[in-house]
Amino acid sequence: MKAKTVDELLKEKKVTKEEMELLRDIIEECREREKRIDNSMVLLRRNLQNLVESIGTIQEKAESLLKSIENLKDALDTIYLLTLPKEKFYRE
C-alpha cells in the first residue's frame, strides 16, 4: 500500500478553504516533512545499493582468498612431502 501525500489526504478528506487556512502551519510542516522523507528515501536507496555492491566485492575477495589459501595448502603439502626423510616416506 503506497503512502498518500499530504495533498492527496487533504483532497480525500475534502478539507475546506477555511480549514486549510486554520491548519496552514501544520499542513506546511507536513509538506516539509514529506519532502525530507522523500529525500531520505532516495539517500537510503543509494546507500543500500552501495552496500550491496560492497558486499559483492567482499564476497569476490573472500572467494579469491579461499582459492589462494587452498593453493598455498597444496604447495605446503608438496613441500612437506619433498622434505620428508626417505625412511618416513611410504611407497608401495
Side-chain angles (χ1 to χ4, degrees), residues 22-88:
L22 287 173
L23 300 171
R24 181 176 37 134
D25 292 341
I26 294 173
I27 292 170
E28 193 55 41
E29 181 181 339
C30 289
R31 285 181 176 143
E32 287 299 318
R33 288 181 181 202
E34 188 174 71
K35 287 177 189 175
R36 288 196 321 235
I37 290 170
D38 289 343
N39 291 338
S40 295
M41 289 300 294
V42 168
L43 185 60
L44 174 65
R45 285 186 184 102
R46 188 179 312 136
N47 287 340
L48 283 174
Q49 183 59 38
N50 289 340
L51 180 61
V52 167
E53 291 170 7
S54 295
I55 289 172
T57 301
I58 290 170
Q59 179 182 1
E60 289 173 9
K61 292 186 182 293
E63 289 170 355
S64 175
L65 180 60
L66 177 62
K67 186 173 181 177
S68 295
I69 289 171
E70 289 170 349
N71 290 341
L72 180 60
K73 181 193 171 296
D74 291 343
L76 285 173
D77 287 345
T78 300
I79 290 171
Y80 174 75
L81 290 175
L82 290 173
T83 59
L84 197 68
K86 288 184 181 185
E87 59 274 3
K88 291 190 175 188

Side-chain angles (χ1 to χ4, degrees), residues 1-18:
M1 180 173 137
K2 186 179 182 295
K4 296 180 181 179
T5 65
V6 173
D7 291 327
E8 289 171 339
L9 288 171
L10 291 171
K11 187 176 180 180
E12 182 181 291
K13 298 298 179 185
K14 298 178 182 159
V15 177
T16 65
K17 289 186 181 192
E18 294 82 22

